[in-house]
Amino acid sequence: MEKQYITLINEDGSQTKAEVLFTYYSEEFNKNYVVFLPEDTVDGVAAASFVENGSEGTLEQITT
C-alpha cells in the first residue's frame, strides 16, 4: 500500500508534511476523520475532522 500525505498549513503560513495513517467516515456524525503523523514533530499522532472544499479541504478540531 502506498503511503498518503497531506500538507498542513499552520496559522503562521508555514507548511508541514504529514503521513495519513487512517481515515474514517462516521454516519452518526456525518463527518470524515483523519489520523495523521506530522513530520519533524515530537507531539506524535494527531486526529481531526476533515471538511472537503473541492479538491482541497480543511481540518477542524474534534470536539465530540
Side-chain angles (χ1 to χ4, degrees):
M1 177 180 240
E2 187 175 325
K3 293 182 179 181
Q4 294 182 334
Y5 294 90
I6 56 175
T7 301
L8 307 171
I9 301 173
N10 302 310
E11 291 177 0
D12 64 1
S14 64
Q15 296 183 4
T16 303
K17 186 176 178 181
E19 180 182 350
V20 175
L21 303 175
F22 180 78
T23 59
Y24 175 75
Y25 174 74
S26 169
E27 289 185 18
E28 180 180 354
F29 296 105
N30 192 32
K31 287 187 176 184
N32 291 300
Y33 296 92
V34 60
V35 177
F36 54 94
L37 179 61
E39 290 185 341
D40 304 325
T41 184
V42 294
D43 296 332
V45 175
S49 63
F50 176 75
V51 179
E52 193 172 344
N53 300 325
S55 63
E56 296 184 1
T58 57
L59 297 178
E60 296 181 352
Q61 185 175 10
I62 298 173
T63 56
T64 57

